[in-house]
Amino acid sequence: MKDVFLAVDAGNTKTWAGLTTADGELVGLARGGVGDIYAPAGAEAAKAVVLSLVGDVLDSAGLSPSDIKHAAFRLAGVDWPADAQFWSATLEPRFSDLSIKNDGFALIRCGRLDGQGISVVLGTGAALAGRGPAKEWALSWWLQHPLGGAGLVGEALRAVYLSELGLGESTKLTAVLPPLFGVSTPEEMLELTTKRENTFSFATLAAHAPSVLALIEDDAVVAQLVDTQASRLADYIVSLAGSCGLEEPVTVVAGGGLLREPGAPVFAALRRTCENRELNLDLQHTQDPALVGALLDALAEGGAQPTEAVRSRLSEAARAHG
């Protein structure tokens, strides 16, 4: 039987588990809910999601944990040593050869197969990580600004409220956002999203990011919000590159729901910002799901060095499954 490798990409919106052979054949795939131990449902709920998906994908291929050559777990919320210990206690009894890292690392090999470089993943939130000669580092709680879809919409709400107070520019967001929340006015929207026992989450906010971005050509406030997020991302990229000891040009691979399309406004703004600052980067865009990078990690860590052909095969198969 061919060696089989397992990867899990767990996020704060959805979680994927996949199985691949050394030649890039995707032999199993499963998708589920939130696998982030910091999510409102809690660590035990995240553990249940991850273990259920692992069980599902193994069952679909007729395999058991002992059949896995190497497993790469890329999990949102692996931010501190205690988080890694939580997952180690859960997973090490099941798998003899595995790695557990923050989900920010998952996309790096979609940029460079040797696993060196920086990943920028923008979905509901943001995950940035780097790996170089000096060290590997996921920024996690070091990210000090609202980023990703939820960050963008949160800043859009702030812009509306400041405009209403006469402290900010007039913006079309004032008319666009309240109906998206099922109300008529900014005041009703503010009450709805801040009152006791409100049910709004990062995912709820992020769902409205496309509506905000749709105004970028017609609203200076929205354009500024996007440029601000791009500028902050560039700052973090520079910090990561220096901390990880990466040599120029630094490979930066960007993906995730907010950057999924090649013409994504935030990616265009990031490229423009990096060019204006004359940063020596190889800035790449990928439409690959982060699971592809996690599978490449599983192969590389398990002794089966992935090739471009393997990456292409996994990419095609993963995209076909959405």
Side-chain angles (χ1 to χ4, degrees), residues 4-124:
V4 178
F5 303 79
L6 167 71
V8 174
D9 171 51
N12 50 32
T13 301
K14 60 183 179 296
T15 299
W16 287 93
L19 297 169
T20 184
T21 59
D23 58 1
E25 179 186 0
L26 190 66
V27 295
L29 190 66
R31 175 179 173 172
V34 178
D36 182 355
I37 58 176
Y38 282 85
E44 291 302 317
K47 181 171 75 172
V49 167
V50 169
L51 292 181
S52 176
L53 283 178
V54 168
D56 288 346
V57 78
L58 289 174
D59 288 346
S60 71
L63 300 173
S64 66
S66 62
D67 296 317
I68 299 303
K69 174 75 170 176
H70 181 80
F73 290 87
R74 301 295 177 261
L75 311 171
V78 179
D79 300 328
W80 303 111
D83 303 323
Q85 291 164 9
F86 171 86
W87 282 113
S88 293
T90 299
L91 298 170
E92 287 181 355
R94 294 170 169 83
F95 297 95
S96 60
D97 193 33
L98 79 165
S99 67
I100 300 168
K101 299 180 186 293
N102 183 275
D103 63 327
F105 289 105
L107 209 61
I108 291 180
R109 287 188 201 272
C110 292
R112 277 180 55 172
L113 286 174
D114 66 359
Q116 300 279 300
I118 292 171
S119 66
V120 177
V121 183
L122 295 185
T124 299

Side-chain angles (χ1 to χ4, degrees), residues 183-258:
V183 296
S184 300
T185 68
E187 183 174 5
E188 291 172 339
M189 183 170 64
L190 180 59
E191 179 183 4
L192 183 70
T193 56
T194 60
K195 67 181 181 180
R196 285 181 293 111
E197 300 179 359
N198 77 80
T199 59
F200 285 91
S201 64
F202 285 132
T204 304
L205 291 177
H208 300 309
S211 297
V212 173
L213 291 171
L215 297 174
I216 192 168
E217 299 295 336
D218 302 315
D219 192 297
V221 170
V222 174
Q224 183 58 52
L225 292 179
V226 171
D227 284 345
T228 297
Q229 181 153 167
S231 179
R232 289 168 174 169
L233 290 170
D235 289 340
Y236 288 123
I237 288 169
V238 170
S239 176
L240 271 173
S243 297
C244 295
L246 287 162
E247 295 183 0
E248 297 182 346
V250 177
T251 298
V252 179
V253 59
L258 202 63

Side-chain angles (χ1 to χ4, degrees), residues 156-157 160-161 164 171-190 192-193 200 208:
L157 291 172
V160 169
Y161 303 142
E164 287 292 288
T171 170
K172 293 181 179 180
L173 291 166
T174 301
V176 169
L177 285 179
L180 296 178
F181 288 87
V183 296
S184 300
T185 68
E187 183 174 5
E188 291 172 339
M189 183 170 64
L190 180 59
L192 183 70
T193 56
F200 285 91
H208 300 309

Side-chain angles (χ1 to χ4, degrees), residues 152-170:
L152 179 69
V153 176
E155 292 293 90
L157 291 172
R158 187 193 309 275
V160 169
Y161 303 142
L162 289 174
S163 177
E164 287 292 288
L165 290 168
L167 301 175
E169 295 181 45
S170 177

